[in-house]
Amino acid sequence: MAQHRVVLLPGDGIGPEITVVARQLLEVVSQRHGFSLSFEEQPIGGSAIDATGEPLPASTLEACKAADAVLLAAIGSPRFDSLPREKRPETGLLGLRAGMELFANLRPVKIVPALIDASSLKRQVIEGVDLMVVRELTGGIYFGQPKGRIETEGDERGFNTMTYSASEVDRIAKVAFEIAQERRGRLCSVDKANVLDVSQLWRDRVDAMAPDYSGVEVSHMYVDNAAMQLVRDPRQFDVLLTGNLFGDILSDEAAMLTGSIGMLPSASLGSEGPGLFEPVHGSAPDIAGQDKANPMAMVLSAAMMLRIGLKQAAAADDLEAAVDAVLAGGFRTGDLMAEGCTQLGCRAMGEQLLKAL
Ligand code: IPM
Ligand code: MG
């Protein structure tokens, strides 16, 4: 029997609540499909700061690297906003991505028919949207040096550096080309090449790779235009390739096409070693501990973990089908609530998902 070691990182805010739901479902599908999952919980983010003083304890990173896959819920809390940057929860997440060398972040955005009216956009605009954001995750302005804050004469200056090497662009572009090949064969690379040198390098490298993928049609779009096109006509997109910062922004925007950021999973992958699977949404401190969270993005992240990380596609199908069935049955958490539907808390939603399985 196949055995997979999963590290669970419940993190902060609503993280622990949605982790409970995902774990229960994973236990059921693993039994059904004849493989075993072992779970090991590790602290990260604010909960790790509380426990150890560090947002990413060395023991957490080691456990993640040694796992077959890592499932993270969410990190972050305004309680830590005044700490120095290296002590903040976000720094723990960035450290985990860098430490596991997870340079490729995949964020699929697909409209669920049952939720079409939950979007703030018109049905005609979003019907049939099915796109994938491929975001570079361990470089760009998030990690570029130099960075910091300095006192200048009578003033203070803060600065970061947006930088990519050709090889960093190549490895993420390759991931995006390969995904486009498996999908509808359209790759749109997003940059700001009309202003930024780093973006011109990005564009040149993508163009240089295009001849290797004759089945993929490549286009380039400036990031400001991409932000506009995502809400004007999102169906034009198949695969969107972006740097770290642009992908952070555009993936939140793209998430809202589906009605709630509470529906979006993601996968972060390196060239080898375990992947990290996490919902796109954050820790939602405002509703934490109130049994109001939507666990679906977490459950869908668990499905991505099964499919991509553990090669258990049939079990992943089951989790995705359970989400679809519960939504089709009219069950909604508060973020998606609509007339005629039944509103549930996180725990009750978990029970419905178990029933649907
Ligand atoms: C995301 C988040 C993170 C990011 C934060 C929490 C550091 O917004 O995963 O999109 O900026 O990458
Ligand atoms: Mg983000």
Side-chain angles (χ1 to χ4, degrees):
M1 182 161 78
Q3 299 202 337
H4 306 292
R5 286 159 309 144
V6 173
V7 167
L8 292 175
L9 305 173
D12 305 325
I14 60 171
E17 304 161 55
I18 61 176
T19 303
V20 170
V21 172
R23 180 176 178 156
Q24 285 172 334
L25 295 171
L26 282 168
E27 271 160 3
V28 173
V29 290
S30 61
Q31 275 164 21
R32 176 179 309 162
H33 291 278
F35 58 93
S36 89
L37 294 176
S38 66
F39 295 102
E40 177 189 343
E41 288 200 9
Q42 291 285 344
I44 190 169
S47 56
I49 297 171
D50 285 335
T52 71
E54 298 291 329
L56 178 64
S59 48
T60 295
L61 179 57
E62 283 317 306
C64 290
K65 283 181 170 173
D68 294 316
V70 181
L71 183 60
L72 164 72
I75 55 100
S77 158
R79 272 205 296 133
F80 304 101
D81 282 355
S82 56
L83 289 180
R85 175 149 329 274
E86 69 279 7
K87 295 280 180 198
R88 290 199 206 161
E90 288 75 9
T91 304
L93 177 58
L94 297 183
L96 182 66
R97 291 170 177 171
M100 294 176 71
E101 297 179 62
L102 305 170
F103 65 87
N105 182 218
L106 316 184
R107 298 187 160 181
V109 177
K110 196 171 173 177
I111 300 296
V112 185
L115 291 183
I116 205 148
D117 295 315
S119 176
S120 50
L121 278 90
K122 293 194 190 84
R123 172 184 278 267
Q124 312 81 282
V125 176
I126 57 166
E127 215 153 33
V129 164
D130 179 1
L131 63 89
M132 174 77 90
V133 179
V134 178
R135 169 190 177 196
E136 200 289 327
L137 203 60
T138 52
I141 196 165
Y142 273 52
F143 292 92
Q145 297 285 350
K147 63 174 193 158
R149 283 166 68 155
I150 44 169
E151 301 287 341
T152 53
E153 282 156 58
D155 204 353
E156 192 188 359
R157 179 174 296 280
F159 55 98
N160 289 85
T161 303
M162 190 185 276
T163 173
Y164 275 112
S165 66
S167 57
E168 280 177 306
V169 179
D170 289 354
R171 67 179 183 176
I172 189 67
K174 184 163 181 280
V175 170
F177 271 105
E178 281 168 8
I179 291 175
Q181 226 168 14
E182 298 294 309
R183 292 176 49 102
R184 301 193 301 280
R186 292 201 343 258
L187 176 64
C188 178
S189 173
V190 174
D191 62 38
K192 190 70 188 174
N194 49 346
V195 176
L196 303 177
D197 293 334
V198 57
S199 280
Q200 189 60 54
L201 172 74
W202 180 282
R203 191 176 278 225
D204 293 347
R205 299 307 298 184
V206 172
D207 276 335
M209 197 172 283
D212 300 345
Y213 296 88
S214 54
V216 177
E217 180 195 317
V218 178
S219 62
H220 301 277
M221 202 177 268
Y222 298 136
V223 61
D224 49 349
N225 186 27
M228 180 180 77
Q229 296 297 335
L230 263 176
V231 287
R232 195 188 74 85
D233 176 23
R235 267 189 304 265
Q236 70 186 283
F237 297 114
D238 179 14
V239 176
L240 274 164
L241 166 63
T242 76
N244 206 342
L245 178 63
F246 297 161
D248 178 48
I249 299 167
L250 293 182
S251 62
D252 266 32
E253 189 191 3
M256 276 317 288
L257 302 173
T258 67
S260 169
I261 196 167
M263 291 305 299
L264 245 68
S266 80
S268 304
L269 310 171
S271 36
E272 52 189 22
L276 169 70
F277 301 85
E278 55 172 313
V280 172
H281 64 68
S283 55
D286 52 320
I287 58 164
Q290 299 170 36
D291 194 33
K292 287 184 179 164
N294 179 355
M296 292 196 171
M298 182 66 170
V299 172
L300 294 172
S301 299
M304 277 189 106
M305 175 181 83
L306 291 171
R307 187 183 306 284
I308 300 173
L310 304 178
K311 310 278 179 257
Q312 297 286 357
D317 288 343
D318 281 7
L319 286 189
E320 288 167 0
V323 168
D324 285 343
V326 165
L327 290 171
F331 297 104
R332 302 282 188 274
T333 40
D335 54 323
L336 296 170
M337 191 50 195
E339 227 181 282
C341 292
T342 311
Q343 187 163 342
L344 299 179
C346 182
R347 219 171 306 128
M349 186 54 99
E351 281 156 22
Q352 285 301 328
L353 287 164
L354 276 172
K355 243 193 242 169
L357 271 185

